[in-house]
Amino acid sequence: MIMQKWRAARRLLRYSPKSLFDTRSNPNSEHSISRSASGFAHCVDGEKYHPREFPPYIEHKKERSLWNTTERGLERTSRIQYRYFGSLASKIQRNPSFSTLNSDDINYFKSILGEKNVIEDEDTLLSANTDWMRKYKGSSKLLLQPRSTQEVSQVLKYCNSRRLAVVPQGGNTGLVGGSVPVFDEVIINVGSMNKIISFDQVSGVLVCEAGCILENLVSFLDNEGFIMPLDLGAKGSCQIGGNVSTNAGGLRLVRYGSLHGSVLGIEAVLANGDVLDMLGTLRKDNTGYDLKHLFIGSEGSLGIVTKVSILTPPKLSSVNIAFLACKRLFQLPAKRRLGEILSAFEFLDNESLNLVLNHLEGVRNPLPPSMHNFYVLIETTGSDESYDKEKLEAFLLRSMEAGLISDGVLAQDINQASSFWRIREGVAEALMKEGAVYKYDLSLPVEKLYNLVEEMRTRIDVSSLVVGKDRCGYVNPQGVPCRNNLNSNSAKVIGFGHLGDGNLHLNISTPQYNDMILAQIEPFVYEWTSKHRGSISAEHGLGLMKANEIFYSKSHETVQLMASIKKLMDPNGILNPYKVLPHSIISYS
Amino acid sequence: MIMQKWRAARRLLRYSPKSLFDTRSNPNSEHSISRSASGFAHCVDGEKYHPREFPPYIEHKKERSLWNTTERGLERTSRIQYRYFGSLASKIQRNPSFSTLNSDDINYFKSILGEKNVIEDEDTLLSANTDWMRKYKGSSKLLLQPRSTQEVSQVLKYCNSRRLAVVPQGGNTGLVGGSVPVFDEVIINVGSMNKIISFDQVSGVLVCEAGCILENLVSFLDNEGFIMPLDLGAKGSCQIGGNVSTNAGGLRLVRYGSLHGSVLGIEAVLANGDVLDMLGTLRKDNTGYDLKHLFIGSEGSLGIVTKVSILTPPKLSSVNIAFLACKRLFQLPAKRRLGEILSAFEFLDNESLNLVLNHLEGVRNPLPPSMHNFYVLIETTGSDESYDKEKLEAFLLRSMEAGLISDGVLAQDINQASSFWRIREGVAEALMKEGAVYKYDLSLPVEKLYNLVEEMRTRIDVSSLVVGKDRCGYVNPQGVPCRNNLNSNSAKVIGFGHLGDGNLHLNISTPQYNDMILAQIEPFVYEWTSKHRGSISAEHGLGLMKANEIFYSKSHETVQLMASIKKLMDPNGILNPYKVLPHSIISYS
């Protein structure tokens, strides 16, 4: 039957590969925003998703509309219940060595940047102080918008001499509280530095300023016949400087690797205002320590990235998508057999599929009704449609014969391809409709990846039963009183994610947020991840949220060296304070 | 005509892809050793080539035969004229803060490592003090062979407290004097730490000790159906710890990128003996600064790499090779059109081809006799032979129609494939038969890459004429007296290399070494490279040879930060002193 489908699919496959590709990276897919009937957007899981609309990139290009759109976003999401983690900030002491902003400071900044780029407007500051998820809120009184590396340098030199703490900010699309102030840090937004400096058609090397919005770069490259090696749901707002500073992962990592591989050079400004020109455009350069890597993923705590040089892959014309059912998750040799054309290797479990089918309108299971453990979405992208498709079919046939695939179907047209992606992308949206969701984004060895879901399922079941017995009088070992009743059917534990990258999105859904459930999940989820040498942050970074959890993934000696490097490069600690490194290890002078 | 050839080739192509692939990576190819009729090996240009034989890897496995083979190598190459750059060391002052080894030190090392791993034998030390090229020679009195990370840690802790300088050494295959002592530094060779720790068939992640010889890893992976993402001529001797420490490039970089992308984790020991466990096996891990990158390419000056975790690609079965003639070098869109299957993209100029045809026996031009500017070798590697070949043919046809290819032929069998590689690989060997060769390994923007060859050609021509007029009485601006006569026909300037990586091998061949010619080449070649934002060291590192030339490729601020990080991580400067960073910027306390 499966072969008949594939043959049929092959005969009928007449869609435009370009459109197909575009569909996947559409901001209105799961990997970005899913709109509910009520007209405002939900934040969805996994990558950097955002509870506000992405304006078309052209808007960004014409005027720097970051703050306007943020304001719009705040209006539209006003009915969403959100909670600031004020308690987190209250546990942190403001670094007493930092100065407080005065009028002389503001006058100085105006003299450098001009009046209009020194912003004290309350509404604008409210947006800039608040993260996308509306979990974190600072109380900065000043937003600076430099237009050049030289201006960033002058600002930082001054702030350093005055011991004024700063928060570097790009699209403010982070999910871990890394891009907003904790207290009254000065916000430095590089969004005005948004020029493309050069593009080399031969090497595919793009050089641009840090404030370029990812989608603008995608659009620019599309005309040149190239693509960005990273693709994020937040691409309508996130900026390349922020992408580099947070080592953003995203959808294409399985194919093009991390930014440590594709970023060829950067320019960065240090805390003291020194400009590091490391804006090389070469694939090979072994002249001294490769310091650009210190800035990739350090979340603006070592310097502000002002320019980026990045290797972009050629755009390929042929895209094929298969939706498969499997008994076992990790034995499908897609990376081995399709290595050179594989461009997505995603999975969801049976519970995820049921959620999508139950909650999302118009979604159908493309396979005949039957119980399967896992569903896998495989996408190939190559330069020759017919050869690539035949290669994929041969792989699927072999996997089916080996019993690794129970059933499957190849997209026959663009609508079918979109419907396959809609299932994978719809999981997070469907979860939102269940109630409260505890979300974890973890890297794990791929063969152990799903074990955590199963263990968590058992654990939450047992926990729910205990709570069910004990009702609200129960106090868990962490001393957190139980607030809500819960029965064994009310918690759902599901797993989906990027199989090709060993990146699990573990989600626990309950009717309401419940501290008892949270205590059952954490620190267990971090401990389990640590025990299996996984990472507690696959792609979001540590920010404020997980700065103190770093030891689950990094050794004490390694963190100590990180702290020494931070101290070396930013002796006054003015750059993005209270983030990334644990508060216990950072000493304030 | 070309199409007829391709069609004919296609019908006849019946070789074993595996054997074909193996041929290319055979240590007896240009990318490693070419034996002359006299029975000893020549050092050849480009990658890490070595003037001694590579013993079969099995020998290494059974006993740590590094020193034995080195001794053999020294015997066999005794007739080669070589010159130690003793003058270089004499310009450097021995760091007066370093202690001198005494008998207590040696007794301490014996108590930790056992008698047989503390080596004072003169012959062995002569080998370990001398680099592969026999250009650099130290005067160390002690070689230590730790067998575990713990032992490396104990040794370094002691050396740091005693201020005994050390040189980390792996296969001692470097070409820039980085792996041998300058004065009396203690040599720490990690070759005894050569265990494979784990391999994951699902993720392709290999974890091993630093002393594993690259070829042993290649062989191990071959049985598992995987390959190493790097391939070097020195693979029979070089060790993965050294590869990582020098960020070795090699033949597969165009396909699999640099080690910054494929190394997932390392374990390293710092100067003070602290062990940094960063041996992650995850593709995604955004928890703090990614410090492993500091150790990739820092040439052992920040710590000794003791374990490595590396992502290995699946071995693919289909290999195709084309030999083409082109008018213009950089406009052939091989990376765009063959991106996902391209595995080699090499070039040589007409002068290079003539050298090979004139000097090497049995080499024939596969194209009809005609004058072409450039020759390009394209290799594809994929998972499906017929599809890959058709894709390559389609690309070649299109390129021919666009006038980018003047002529070309596809390998019809393994012999023809080998003969194509023999041409590209034979350039360096042919050069050796011309006389003295000045070799430069440069990264340049690909569109400017060949301009340097042309400018150098004009420059050397003019220079030769000047020398011809003035004879031996002439003194050049650098104050170097002319030693040899030279006429305008005696110098050849040729260019070949890795087109896909923008890596030019610029070679100037003259009958004898001549300081006047050298003064015409340097610093011009570095200045030109710097002016075009190239790198003066594409893949060899800086070592002792180019430590003072770093400013040609890196800014003062960047080098200053490198020096600060060196000072932070190795405050006594004991790790591989006098290397990588310029002597002017390193202060001795």
Side-chain angles (χ1 to χ4, degrees), chain A residues 79-239:
Chain A
R79 281 170 298 168
I80 301 179
Q81 188 209 343
Y82 56 83
R83 34 181 205 169
Y84 293 130
F85 282 51
S87 57
L88 250 178
S90 66
K91 284 182 199 157
I92 304 166
Q93 190 203 348
R94 182 180 181 281
N95 182 342
S97 74
F98 291 154
S99 303
T100 305
L101 203 67
N102 62 33
S103 58
D104 286 349
D105 300 326
I106 290 170
N107 288 336
Y108 178 77
F109 293 132
K110 286 181 178 170
S111 75
I112 294 172
L113 308 176
E115 292 265 344
K116 71 171 181 151
N117 293 313
V118 178
I119 294 168
E120 299 176 87
D121 169 68
E122 271 190 23
D123 287 346
T124 306
L125 281 168
L126 176 64
S127 301
N129 270 307
T130 311
D131 79 312
W132 284 98
M133 296 285 287
R134 304 179 62 76
K135 281 172 70 178
Y136 302 94
K137 190 179 171 224
S139 49
S140 175
K141 300 286 181 287
L142 194 68
L143 168 77
L144 304 178
Q145 296 188 141
R147 292 153 301 176
S148 69
T149 302
Q150 191 52 34
E151 287 184 357
V152 175
S153 169
Q154 285 177 281
V155 165
L156 281 184
K157 189 175 180 183
Y158 181 84
C159 290
N160 193 48
S161 69
R162 275 276 293 130
R163 296 208 173 202
L164 287 169
V166 304
V167 172
Q169 195 176 71
N172 192 9
T173 63
L175 292 179
V176 290
S179 57
V180 290
V182 179
F183 297 101
D184 58 344
E185 299 90 280
V186 174
I187 302 167
I188 302 179
N189 190 289
V190 297
S192 299
M193 297 170 63
N194 58 4
K195 287 190 280 297
I196 289 170
I197 297 165
S198 67
F199 179 70
D200 184 333
Q201 267 275 351
V202 177
S203 63
V205 177
L206 172 75
V207 182
C208 64
E209 290 186 318
C212 288
I213 290 171
L214 182 57
E215 194 165 59
N216 290 354
L217 298 177
V218 169
S219 170
F220 170 83
L221 288 172
D222 189 64
N223 289 330
E224 304 281 340
F226 286 78
I227 61 169
M228 284 296 281
L230 80 162
D231 185 16
L232 302 177
K235 68 180 168 186
S237 293
C238 70
Q239 299 169 6

Side-chain angles (χ1 to χ4, degrees), chain A residues 200-201 246-247 277 284-287 289 301 336 340 383 387 390 443 447 503 533 535 537 554, chain B residues 200-201 246-247 277 284-287 289 301 336 340 383 387 390 443 446-447 503 533 535 537 554:
Chain A
D200 184 333
Q201 267 275 351
T246 57
N247 189 29
D277 176 0
K284 286 178 167 178
D285 176 23
N286 280 354
T287 52
Y289 311 156
S301 67
R336 290 188 67 169
E340 73 271 27
S383 55
Y387 303 144
E390 286 185 42
S443 268
E447 70 277 10
N503 190 173
R533 294 192 77 101
S535 171
S537 181
K554 293 286 157 71
Chain B
D200 184 333
Q201 267 276 351
T246 57
N247 189 29
D277 176 0
K284 284 178 169 179
D285 176 23
N286 281 355
T287 53
Y289 311 156
S301 66
R336 291 187 67 169
E340 73 271 26
S383 56
Y387 304 143
E390 286 185 41
S443 269
V446 73
E447 70 278 11
N503 189 173
R533 294 192 78 100
S535 170
S537 181
K554 293 286 157 72

Side-chain angles (χ1 to χ4, degrees), chain A residues 434-574:
Chain A
E434 284 275 300
V437 189
Y438 300 88
K439 293 171 175 292
Y440 298 90
D441 173 38
L442 309 160
S443 268
L444 285 165
V446 72
E447 70 277 10
K448 302 204 175 85
L449 183 141
Y450 201 74
N451 297 2
L452 175 57
V453 182
E454 287 165 339
E455 287 196 32
M456 186 61 82
R457 204 166 273 155
T458 314
R459 185 178 172 84
I460 295 288
D461 263 5
V462 173
S463 145
S464 302
L465 288 169
V466 171
V467 179
K469 273 186 203 161
D470 218 351
R471 299 281 166 133
C472 289
Y474 177 87
V475 175
N476 72 22
Q478 277 73 27
V480 181
C482 161
R483 292 200 198 129
N484 301 97
N485 192 10
L486 206 65
N487 64 59
S488 60
N489 296 322
S490 62
K492 284 199 176 80
V493 179
I494 71 159
F496 63 102
H498 312 290
L499 192 57
D501 304 327
N503 190 173
L504 169 70
H505 298 327
L506 169 68
N507 286 256
I508 297 104
S509 151
T510 59
Q512 291 140 306
Y513 282 106
N514 177 296
D515 288 339
M516 173 64 199
I517 283 284
L518 183 61
Q520 290 298 319
I521 302 170
E522 296 182 23
F524 170 79
V525 64
Y526 296 134
E527 285 167 356
W528 200 99
T529 302
S530 176
K531 188 174 134 196
H532 295 92
R533 294 192 77 101
S535 171
I536 60 161
S537 181
E539 57 185 358
H540 294 170
L542 296 170
L544 179 63
M545 179 185 172
K546 300 184 203 167
N548 287 328
E549 318 296 337
I550 192 171
F551 295 108
Y552 284 113
S553 289
K554 293 286 157 71
S555 73
H556 182 82
E557 291 80 7
T558 309
V559 177
Q560 189 60 59
L561 181 54
M562 290 180 199
S564 301
I565 287 172
K566 166 72 175 173
K567 187 85 182 163
L568 172 75
M569 293 174 67
D570 179 18
N572 296 332
I574 63 161

Side-chain angles (χ1 to χ4, degrees), chain B residues 60-203:
Chain B
H60 289 280
K61 219 167 188 174
K62 283 186 183 151
E63 48 171 316
R64 188 67 201 90
S65 57
L66 177 69
W67 311 113
N68 295 339
T69 54
T70 308
E71 284 159 33
R72 262 208 333 265
L74 289 175
E75 272 169 37
R76 295 192 181 198
T77 55
S78 58
R79 282 169 299 169
I80 300 179
Q81 188 209 344
Y82 56 83
R83 35 179 206 170
Y84 293 129
F85 283 51
S87 56
L88 250 178
S90 67
K91 283 182 200 157
I92 304 167
Q93 190 202 349
R94 182 181 181 279
N95 182 342
S97 74
F98 290 153
S99 303
T100 305
L101 203 68
N102 63 33
S103 58
D104 286 350
D105 299 327
I106 291 171
N107 288 335
Y108 178 78
F109 293 132
K110 285 181 178 171
S111 75
I112 294 173
L113 307 177
E115 291 265 344
K116 71 172 180 149
N117 293 312
V118 178
I119 294 168
E120 300 175 86
D121 169 68
E122 273 190 21
D123 287 345
T124 306
L125 281 168
L126 177 63
S127 300
N129 270 307
T130 311
D131 78 313
W132 285 98
M133 295 286 287
R134 303 179 64 75
K135 281 171 70 177
Y136 301 95
K137 192 178 170 223
S139 50
S140 175
K141 300 287 182 287
L142 193 68
L143 168 76
L144 303 178
Q145 294 188 143
R147 293 153 302 177
S148 68
T149 302
Q150 191 52 35
E151 287 184 357
V152 175
S153 168
Q154 285 176 280
V155 165
L156 280 184
K157 189 175 181 184
Y158 180 84
C159 289
N160 193 47
S161 69
R162 274 276 292 132
R163 297 207 172 202
L164 287 169
V166 304
V167 173
Q169 195 175 72
N172 192 11
T173 64
L175 292 180
V176 289
S179 58
V180 291
V182 179
F183 297 101
D184 58 344
E185 299 90 279
V186 174
I187 301 166
I188 302 179
N189 190 290
V190 297
S192 299
M193 298 170 63
N194 57 4
K195 286 191 282 296
I196 288 170
I197 297 164
S198 67
F199 179 70
D200 184 333
Q201 267 276 351
V202 176
S203 63

Side-chain angles (χ1 to χ4, degrees), chain B residues 480-543:
Chain B
V480 182
C482 161
R483 293 199 198 131
N484 300 100
N485 191 10
L486 205 65
N487 63 58
S488 60
N489 296 322
S490 62
K492 285 199 176 80
V493 180
I494 70 158
F496 63 102
H498 313 290
L499 192 57
D501 304 327
N503 189 173
L504 169 69
H505 298 325
L506 168 68
N507 286 255
I508 296 103
S509 150
T510 59
Q512 291 139 307
Y513 283 106
N514 177 296
D515 288 338
M516 175 63 199
I517 283 284
L518 183 62
Q520 289 299 319
I521 302 171
E522 295 182 23
F524 170 79
V525 64
Y526 295 134
E527 286 168 355
W528 200 98
T529 302
S530 176
K531 188 174 135 197
H532 294 93
R533 294 192 78 100
S535 170
I536 60 160
S537 181
E539 56 185 358
H540 293 170
L542 296 170

Side-chain angles (χ1 to χ4, degrees), chain A residues 241-517:
Chain A
N243 296 150
V244 169
S245 297
T246 57
N247 189 29
L251 297 163
R252 292 181 182 153
L253 196 134
V254 69
R255 175 69 167 262
Y256 298 111
S258 91
L259 290 175
H260 285 287
S262 45
V263 170
L264 298 181
I266 64 166
E267 178 192 77
V269 183
L270 300 182
N272 66 3
D274 277 1
V275 178
L276 291 192
D277 176 0
M278 306 180 291
L279 202 59
T281 55
L282 309 165
R283 286 205 79 177
K284 286 178 167 178
D285 176 23
N286 280 354
T287 52
Y289 311 156
D290 201 344
L291 297 184
K292 69 169 176 278
H293 296 285
L294 278 179
F295 298 88
I296 301 176
S298 56
E299 305 181 46
S301 67
L302 295 179
I304 299 185
V305 172
T306 45
K307 294 193 182 88
V308 172
S309 154
I310 189 164
L311 185 67
T312 71
K315 186 178 164 186
L316 299 172
S317 58
S318 147
V319 182
N320 293 289
I321 297 178
F323 188 84
L324 314 169
C326 306
K327 274 183 201 147
R328 283 175 298 277
L329 195 55
F330 66 85
Q331 291 180 329
L332 198 62
K335 287 170 85 174
R336 290 188 67 169
R337 297 273 158 73
L338 297 170
E340 73 271 27
I341 55 169
L342 185 68
S343 56
F345 188 15
E346 303 283 311
F347 87 100
L348 57 159
D349 59 14
N350 185 47
E351 290 77 0
S352 301
L353 180 66
N354 286 338
L355 270 181
V356 172
L357 296 177
N358 290 340
H359 286 293
L360 302 191
E361 280 179 28
V363 175
R364 287 182 309 108
N365 186 352
L367 300 174
S370 179
M371 180 66 88
H372 301 288
N373 293 338
F374 300 105
Y375 299 89
V376 167
L377 194 152
I378 285 178
E379 184 192 77
T380 67
T381 310
S383 55
D384 191 303
E385 194 174 343
S386 58
Y387 303 144
D388 293 351
K389 205 181 316 141
E390 286 185 42
K391 198 177 284 186
L392 175 60
E393 286 170 2
F395 159 73
L396 295 176
L397 181 59
R398 217 183 299 179
S399 301
M400 193 190 61
E401 285 169 352
L404 300 172
I405 298 176
S406 317
D407 205 348
V409 62
L410 263 175
Q412 297 183 38
D413 56 29
I414 186 170
N415 292 330
Q416 200 170 4
S418 300
S419 73
F420 293 179
W421 271 113
R422 175 73 177 136
I423 294 169
R424 163 64 187 84
E425 293 171 345
V427 183
E429 188 185 345
L431 266 165
M432 297 291 281
K433 303 202 175 185
E434 284 275 300
V437 189
Y438 300 88
K439 293 171 175 292
Y440 298 90
D441 173 38
L442 309 160
S443 268
L444 285 165
V446 72
E447 70 277 10
K448 302 204 175 85
L449 183 141
Y450 201 74
N451 297 2
L452 175 57
V453 182
E454 287 165 339
E455 287 196 32
M456 186 61 82
R457 204 166 273 155
T458 314
R459 185 178 172 84
I460 295 288
D461 263 5
V462 173
S463 145
S464 302
L465 288 169
V466 171
V467 179
K469 273 186 203 161
D470 218 351
R471 299 281 166 133
C472 289
Y474 177 87
V475 175
N476 72 22
Q478 277 73 27
V480 181
C482 161
R483 292 200 198 129
N484 301 97
N485 192 10
L486 206 65
N487 64 59
S488 60
N489 296 322
S490 62
K492 284 199 176 80
V493 179
I494 71 159
F496 63 102
H498 312 290
L499 192 57
D501 304 327
N503 190 173
L504 169 70
H505 298 327
L506 169 68
N507 286 256
I508 297 104
S509 151
T510 59
Q512 291 140 306
Y513 282 106
N514 177 296
D515 288 339
M516 173 64 199
I517 283 284

Side-chain angles (χ1 to χ4, degrees), chain B residues 178-371:
Chain B
S179 58
V180 291
V182 179
F183 297 101
D184 58 344
E185 299 90 279
V186 174
I187 301 166
I188 302 179
N189 190 290
V190 297
S192 299
M193 298 170 63
N194 57 4
K195 286 191 282 296
I196 288 170
I197 297 164
S198 67
F199 179 70
D200 184 333
Q201 267 276 351
V202 176
S203 63
V205 177
L206 172 75
V207 183
C208 65
E209 290 185 318
C212 288
I213 291 171
L214 182 57
E215 192 165 60
N216 290 353
L217 298 177
V218 169
S219 171
F220 169 83
L221 289 172
D222 189 64
N223 290 329
E224 304 281 340
F226 287 77
I227 62 168
M228 285 296 281
L230 79 162
D231 185 17
L232 303 177
K235 68 180 168 187
S237 293
C238 68
Q239 298 169 7
I240 190 69
N243 297 149
V244 169
S245 297
T246 57
N247 189 29
L251 296 163
R252 292 181 182 154
L253 196 134
V254 68
R255 175 69 167 263
Y256 298 112
S258 91
L259 290 174
H260 285 286
S262 45
V263 169
L264 298 181
I266 63 166
E267 178 192 76
V269 183
L270 300 182
N272 66 2
D274 276 1
V275 178
L276 290 193
D277 176 0
M278 306 179 290
L279 203 59
T281 54
L282 309 165
R283 286 203 80 178
K284 284 178 169 179
D285 176 23
N286 281 355
T287 53
Y289 311 156
D290 201 344
L291 297 184
K292 69 170 178 277
H293 296 286
L294 278 180
F295 299 88
I296 301 174
S298 57
E299 305 182 45
S301 66
L302 295 180
I304 298 185
V305 172
T306 45
K307 294 193 183 87
V308 172
S309 156
I310 188 163
L311 185 67
T312 71
K315 187 176 162 185
L316 300 171
S317 57
S318 148
V319 182
N320 294 290
I321 297 178
F323 189 84
L324 314 168
C326 306
K327 273 183 203 147
R328 284 177 297 276
L329 196 54
F330 65 86
Q331 292 180 328
L332 199 62
K335 288 170 86 174
R336 291 187 67 169
R337 298 272 158 74
L338 298 169
E340 73 271 26
I341 56 169
L342 186 67
S343 56
F345 188 17
E346 303 283 311
F347 86 100
L348 57 159
D349 59 14
N350 185 47
E351 290 77 1
S352 300
L353 180 66
N354 285 338
L355 270 181
V356 172
L357 296 176
N358 289 340
H359 285 295
L360 302 191
E361 280 180 26
V363 176
R364 287 182 309 108
N365 185 351
L367 300 174
S370 178
M371 181 66 88

